[in-house]
């Protein structure tokens, strides 16, 4: 008789069948780490009543998504779910826990991977993307007593799954586990881990239907490809904005939207309004983040997200915001060139090195040097004394938290995983808005929308959409 486990590819089935108490998976992205691990969890909960598993991940989004895989496997096995609960201090606050309860007394708990959220649970554990936790060492130390104390429900199992995240920093503990048990095995270790390594090439060889060349071209980043798909360990990586730092900037007085009348009023009043615009067209959205400077604090007034909208339509919607602002910094790469040209033609360019000081729009080419300027500056805005205020919002919090500072060979870069929601587009837009507020331009009367510059340049050069 066939079982749902027959859905697994050979390398996934080997992972589920491995009953080692301590098990680590160094797996490429998109090869089924959580899918396979949650199969093992659900089978254990079915077979052993009153079993508890805890899933922890670097972000609440990842923890909840992983828990969703358990829900899918429960349906596949026709293992009824008695109820589901979610706990937050208040609506929009960071998740405390999400749980699935079964009639046989088993349960699965999902939490963000922070020391204070994992401490105290007596459970088997799945730490997904463990190398990307804010503080893996502190989290591991907080959870270790609950899985090593046999008096608290018997012996517990530990599952660590992750892509690599460097040899130092947050990725150090995961790297050392893989090194000491797989790459350079050390004899006589008291805790032995069963380590499974699966690169994207391994997964495709065993039947994963992925076009490797197409995927590599889409990533277009050798460092990211080596780390996330070939399971290589780079030097180090750290989250740009930890949850605790984001929390200090959250305020219910910061807002995500404003009606049209506010923009008209702000423009007439000559307020200290600044825009950061990260352009997107097909895969990612365009995000326009609006800050208003009140005293020494930058208050978020709007986080506008535009999906699947042509460049012309985006510009039409953004025109009232350009009119109201003192300065806008706009992503001038790829499709953003078209939007940038339209904005400069109507509101003038701000480019001090070319003695252009009366325009509103700074065109930002996304070079490594620019990233090395805007993202550390954004981090400083969140540090004490915090000079920026953002809305209390799960999507915003998750987007900001996803941005990584990566070090390889002494070079710094800033990357974020691509998800269905985008590519940390809100974080980039906020970084650009903070840059706009650092160097405000002179207020000028805008030219009529659609006007062309006298030099004869076509205002639609580079326009897409």
């Amino acid at each position: 008789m066939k079982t749902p486990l027959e859905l697994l590819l050979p390398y996934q089935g080997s992972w589920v069948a491995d009953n080692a108490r301590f098990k680590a998976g160094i797996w490429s992205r998109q090869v089924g780490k959580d899918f396979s691990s949650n199969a093992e969890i659900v089978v254990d909960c079915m077979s052993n009543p009153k079993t508890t598993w805890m899933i922890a991940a670097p972000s609440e989004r990842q923890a909840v998504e992983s828990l969703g895989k358990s829900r899918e496997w429960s349906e596949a096995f026709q293992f009824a779910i008695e109820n589901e609960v979610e706990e937050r201090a208040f609506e929009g606050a960071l998740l405390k826990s999400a749980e699935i309860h079964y009639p046989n007394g088993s349960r699965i708990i999902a939490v963000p991977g922070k020391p204070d959220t994992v401490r105290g649970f007596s459970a088997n554990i799945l730490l997904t993307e463990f190398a990307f936790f804010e503080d893996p060492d502190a989290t591991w130390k907080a959870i270790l007593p609950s899985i090593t104390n046999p008096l608290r429900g018997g012996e517990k199992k530990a599952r660590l799954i992750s892509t690599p995240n460097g040899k130092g920093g947050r990725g150090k503990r995961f790297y050392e586990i893989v090194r000491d048990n797989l790459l350079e095995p050390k004899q006589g270790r008291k805790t032995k881990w069963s380590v499974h390594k699966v690169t994207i090439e391994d997964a495709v060889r065993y039947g994963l239907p992925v076009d490797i060349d197409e995927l590599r071209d889409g990533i277009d980043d050798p460092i990211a490809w080596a780390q996330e798909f070939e399971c290589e360990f780079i030097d180090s990586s750290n989250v740009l904005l930890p949850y605790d730092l984001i929390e200090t900037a959250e305020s219910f007085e910061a807002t995500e939207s404003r009606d049209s009348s506010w923009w008209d009023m702000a423009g007439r009043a000559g307020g200290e309004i600044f825009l950061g615009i990260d352009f997107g067209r097909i895969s990612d959205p365009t995000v326009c983040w609006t800050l208003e400077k009140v005293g020494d604090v930058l208050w978020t007034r709007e986080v506008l997200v535009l999906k699947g909208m042509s460049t012309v339509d985006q510009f039409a919607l953004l025109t009232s915001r350009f009119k109201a602002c003192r300065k806008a910094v706009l992503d001038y790469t790829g499709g953003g060139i078209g939007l940038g040209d339209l904005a400069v033609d109507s509101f003038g360019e701000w480019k001090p090195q070319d003695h252009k000081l009366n325009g509103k729009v700074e065109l930002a080419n996304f070079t490594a040097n620019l990233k090395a300027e805007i993202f550390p500056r954004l981090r400083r805005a969140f540090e004490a004394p915090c000079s920026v205020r953002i809305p209390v919002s799960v999507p915003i919090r998750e987007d900001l938290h996803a941005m990584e500072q990566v070090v390889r060979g002494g070079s710094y870069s800033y990357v974020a995983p691509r998800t269905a929601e985008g590519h940390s587009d809100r974080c980039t837009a906020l970084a650009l808005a903070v840059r706009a507020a650092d160097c405000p331009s002179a207020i000028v009367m805008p030219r009529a929308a659609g006007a062309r510059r006298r030099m004869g340049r076509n205002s639609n050069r580079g326009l897409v959409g």
Side-chain angles (χ1 to χ4, degrees):
M1 181 177 177
K2 291 186 176 181
T3 76
L5 292 179
E6 294 185 23
L7 295 169
L8 297 170
L9 295 172
Y11 66 90
Q12 297 170 335
S14 295
W15 171 259
V16 174
D18 184 349
N19 291 318
R21 183 183 178 193
F22 295 97
K23 192 164 67 173
I26 172 175
W27 286 26
S28 161
R29 292 194 183 277
Q30 300 185 6
V31 298
K33 294 189 293 295
D34 286 277
F35 177 72
S36 307
S37 298
N38 278 278
E40 179 185 9
I41 289 174
V42 172
V43 169
D44 197 28
C45 287
M46 289 174 54
S47 306
N48 301 289
K50 297 183 179 180
T51 293
T52 300
W53 277 86
M54 181 176 66
I55 300 171
S59 70
E60 70 170 68
R61 174 187 59 79
Q62 290 166 298
V64 171
E65 285 182 358
S66 186
L67 184 66
K69 300 293 191 300
S70 281
R71 189 181 301 109
E72 293 170 6
W73 278 109
S74 299
E75 293 172 358
F77 280 107
Q78 298 182 352
F79 184 31
I81 294 174
E82 187 173 64
N83 69 315
E84 299 183 47
V85 295
E86 183 177 289
E87 183 181 0
R88 300 178 188 269
F90 51 85
E91 185 176 357
L94 181 66
L95 177 75
K96 289 187 176 181
S97 68
E99 300 185 17
I100 289 176
H101 294 252
Y102 296 102
N104 70 351
S106 293
R107 62 174 179 157
I108 307 172
I109 308 161
V111 298
K114 291 162 56 69
D116 55 342
T117 58
V118 303
R119 183 176 285 107
F121 283 105
S122 178
N124 303 288
I125 59 168
L126 168 64
L127 305 185
T128 179
E129 292 297 0
F130 175 64
F132 292 83
F133 281 34
E134 281 186 13
D135 192 339
D137 279 343
T139 303
W140 181 250
K141 291 172 184 176
I143 208 171
L144 193 60
S146 66
I147 64 173
T148 55
N149 185 353
L151 299 180
R152 299 189 64 184
E155 186 176 88
K156 304 296 189 299
K157 290 172 280 192
R159 308 290 184 247
L160 308 186
I161 55 175
S162 188
T163 49
N165 191 24
K167 298 179 181 179
R170 292 183 301 150
K172 182 180 180 183
R173 181 173 288 273
F174 185 67
Y175 166 68
E176 290 177 345
I177 289 172
V178 173
R179 180 196 64 194
D180 296 345
N181 293 274
L182 179 68
L183 304 179
E184 303 170 16
K186 289 186 177 181
Q187 302 302 318
R189 292 178 59 86
K190 186 174 181 180
T191 301
K192 294 184 178 180
W193 291 81
S194 176
V195 179
H196 294 235
K197 181 180 179 181
V198 182
T199 67
I200 190 68
E201 290 85 0
D202 295 330
V204 170
R205 189 181 308 117
Y206 285 105
L208 186 72
V210 169
D211 186 325
I212 293 179
D213 292 334
E214 182 180 64
L215 185 60
R216 185 189 291 110
D217 289 343
I219 296 297
D220 193 27
D221 184 332
I223 294 178
W225 179 260
Q227 173 178 272
E228 298 180 9
F229 292 92
E230 295 183 339
C231 298
E232 292 185 11
F233 288 93
I234 61 174
D235 293 345
S236 67
S237 177
N238 291 288
V239 69
L240 179 68
L241 298 171
Y243 280 128
D244 292 344
L245 205 58
I246 295 172
E247 187 177 17
T248 64
E250 291 182 333
S251 170
F252 286 108
E253 295 180 39
T255 55
E256 289 189 69
S257 62
R258 289 285 176 171
D259 59 33
S260 58
S261 62
W262 186 87
W263 295 102
D264 294 337
M265 181 180 67
R268 289 194 301 269
E272 294 285 291
I273 307 297
F274 304 95
L275 308 180
I277 302 173
D278 183 37
F279 181 85
R281 181 64 183 88
I282 304 297
S283 300
D284 300 326
T286 286
V287 178
C288 177
W289 194 299
T290 301
L291 295 174
E292 181 179 15
K293 191 170 186 178
V294 181
D296 294 329
V297 178
L298 297 170
W299 285 86
T300 300
R301 299 309 186 199
E302 183 183 64
V303 184
L304 180 66
V305 180
L306 306 176
K307 295 184 178 180
M309 184 179 291
S310 73
T311 304
V312 172
D313 289 343
Q314 288 188 30
F315 179 70
L317 188 59
L318 292 171
T319 294
S320 60
R321 288 143 178 92
F322 282 120
K323 289 180 178 178
C325 77
R326 288 281 308 275
K327 185 186 173 188
V329 178
L330 191 149
D331 165 22
Y332 194 63
T333 51
I337 292 174
L339 182 62
D341 288 345
L342 288 174
V344 165
D345 283 342
S346 295
F347 301 102
E349 183 176 9
W350 189 82
K351 193 174 183 182
Q353 60 268 40
D354 289 350
H355 308 291
K356 297 177 180 178
L357 300 173
N358 293 323
K360 288 190 172 187
V361 182
E362 178 185 354
L363 302 176
N365 290 299
F366 253 65
T367 63
N369 287 338
L370 178 72
K371 293 179 181 180
E373 291 178 14
I374 65 172
F375 289 116
R377 172 65 186 87
L378 177 62
R379 165 79 183 219
R380 291 194 297 273
F382 278 79
E383 293 172 342
C386 181
S387 61
V388 64
R389 298 292 184 272
I390 63 173
V392 179
S393 160
V394 172
I396 288 176
R397 185 186 306 123
E398 293 294 284
D399 188 297
L400 297 179
H401 185 259
M403 185 62 70
E404 302 271 341
Q405 181 187 67
V406 178
V407 185
R408 190 183 194 190
S411 298
Y412 287 78
S413 62
Y414 295 86
V415 298
R418 190 175 297 280
T419 69
E421 296 299 317
H423 196 231
S424 278
D425 309 286
R426 294 172 179 84
C427 184
T428 300
L430 176 56
L432 293 173
V434 170
R435 178 183 176 88
D438 279 345
C439 303
S441 63
I443 299 177
V444 296
M445 292 298 292
R447 291 185 288 277
R452 299 190 180 187
R453 298 172 69 83
R454 293 184 177 180
M455 296 182 68
R457 179 173 57 80
N458 188 336
S459 65
N460 290 332
R461 179 176 65 82
L463 186 64
V464 296

